[in-house]
Amino acid sequence: MRAAGALLHIIKGGEIVLCMICDDQKNELETMQKIVLDYAGEHPDLFLAVQCFSNPFDMLEEMDRSGAPDIALLDICMPGVLGTEIAREIQSKSENVTDIIFLTTSPDFAVEAFALHVNDYLTKPYTKKRLIDTLDRVIEKRRRRLYIPVQCGNEIHRIDLYSVAYAEARNHSLEIHLKSGNCLRTRMTLTELKELFQGVNGFVTVGASYIVNLRCVQSLLPTTAVMANGETIPVPRRLRSEVKQQYFDFYTREATGR
């Protein structure tokens, strides 16, 4: 099914999962830290490391030095900046692979927060069980997360497979377009990339030049697939019925869980 060694699970024995917590209120920060550390103690297989920050800009500086966290717990109303702005920075730095949880006294930013595809929005005061349930859900999702290694020049990038919106073969190279809007260029061929996607639902080949993540397709028009960011991908005439059926079948499975 999958190319041996090509797809990497995020959580496996011995791998550290980094959680960053940011809240300008000391007591709230300590409460979150204690809950997460208790959770880590009950799940030693996760190797869960925790870093705490009372200043969101200090957290961003640390990310510039050591990289984005796997999980981020953020307050929203902080001096000088909203947590939603910090979330956007984290998503940009991590290519949208950081799982973000908001914990806040205000319900006013829920719509904006979920538009960022965060994992949860907890209003204070919340119970320990409520946060633990959210951590359980995030960790389980990360256990199922898959990565693909992509070489760009002298660098190798580990990309969350589901962060790929589409890939296009162009000028003897491959452009991998991510949900974040970033684009990676590699000498990998479309066929080689397709092998990495074998056995993973939701990715389809569209003609000789494209692999498309159906999760990022906003709509199908008679001749094109319209992506969530407004870009369009041409669908060859001979494949239109097939792509349309694949799109319908995928979302039917998503809706029914079958």
Side-chain angles (χ1 to χ4, degrees):
M1 292 255 311
R2 294 170 183 155
L7 296 178
L8 309 174
H9 288 275
I10 179 64
I11 295 176
K12 54 182 180 288
E15 183 167 354
I16 295 175
V17 178
L18 176 60
C19 176
M20 288 186 176
I21 306 173
C22 187
D23 196 306
D24 63 302
Q25 299 296 318
K26 182 180 178 181
N27 61 326
E28 295 288 351
L29 187 63
E30 291 175 347
T31 296
M32 281 187 269
Q33 180 184 28
K34 185 178 187 309
I35 293 174
V36 175
L37 289 175
D38 287 348
Y39 185 88
E42 294 171 2
H43 300 80
D45 57 308
L46 296 180
F47 294 89
L48 184 61
V50 181
Q51 292 182 331
C52 295
F53 303 87
S54 58
N55 185 317
F57 299 106
D58 290 342
M59 183 177 71
L60 292 178
E61 287 182 7
E62 178 59 31
M63 287 173 53
D64 288 336
R65 288 191 293 268
S66 59
D70 300 295
I71 301 170
L73 277 62
L74 303 176
D75 187 19
I76 286 190
C77 299
M78 294 181 283
V81 67
L82 289 174
T84 49
E85 297 176 50
I86 298 300
R88 290 188 183 92
E89 286 288 325
I90 294 173
Q91 290 173 335
S92 174
K93 294 175 184 296
S94 73
E95 297 294 356
N96 285 319
V97 301
T98 295
D99 289 300
I100 296 174
I101 301 165
F102 282 123
L103 303 100
T104 177
T105 56
S106 174
D108 297 339
F109 301 92
V111 173
E112 181 181 358
F114 282 113
L116 297 173
H117 304 290
V118 300
N119 287 271
D120 212 339
Y121 189 99
L122 279 63
T123 53
K124 302 173 183 177
Y126 53 86
T127 65
K128 179 178 180 178
K129 182 180 185 304
R130 181 73 173 81
L131 179 52
I132 286 176
D133 287 346
T134 296
L135 289 172
D136 278 338
R137 189 171 67 253
V138 167
I139 293 297
E140 180 56 31
K141 185 182 79 171
R142 296 191 72 84
R143 288 186 190 277
R144 297 193 302 268
R145 184 168 289 171
L146 300 171
Y147 285 85
I148 55 174
V150 174
Q151 184 160 351
C152 303
N154 295 324
E155 300 178 353
I156 296 179
H157 295 262
R158 190 183 70 162
I159 303 173
D160 178 1
L161 184 149
Y162 295 111
S163 73
V164 176
Y166 70 94
E168 179 184 6
R170 177 193 289 262
N171 298 328
H172 306 292
S173 64
L174 190 66
E175 294 184 354
I176 299 176
H177 295 262
L178 305 177
K179 292 179 183 178
S180 64
N182 291 339
C183 177
L184 298 176
R185 291 174 176 82
T186 176
R187 302 299 294 181
M188 180 186 296
T189 66
L190 197 71
T191 298
E192 290 171 336
L193 182 64
K194 185 178 178 180
E195 290 177 357
L196 299 181
F197 284 72
Q198 286 183 3
V200 181
N201 291 328
F203 291 89
V204 299
T205 303
V206 180
S209 300
Y210 294 92
I211 293 176
V212 176
N213 183 352
L214 292 178
R215 300 166 186 82
C216 299
V217 176
Q218 183 68 34
S219 58
L220 283 176
L221 301 182
T223 61
T224 60
V226 181
M227 307 303 290
N229 63 1
E231 295 184 62
T232 59
I233 292 175
V235 180
R237 182 185 299 274
R238 62 184 174 80
L239 294 176
R240 288 170 193 168
S241 294
E242 179 184 342
V243 171
K244 181 178 179 180
Q245 189 63 50
Q246 288 176 314
Y247 187 70
F248 180 81
D249 290 345
F250 172 73
Y251 277 102
T252 298
R253 288 194 301 269
E254 289 286 292
T256 61
R258 296 176 181 176

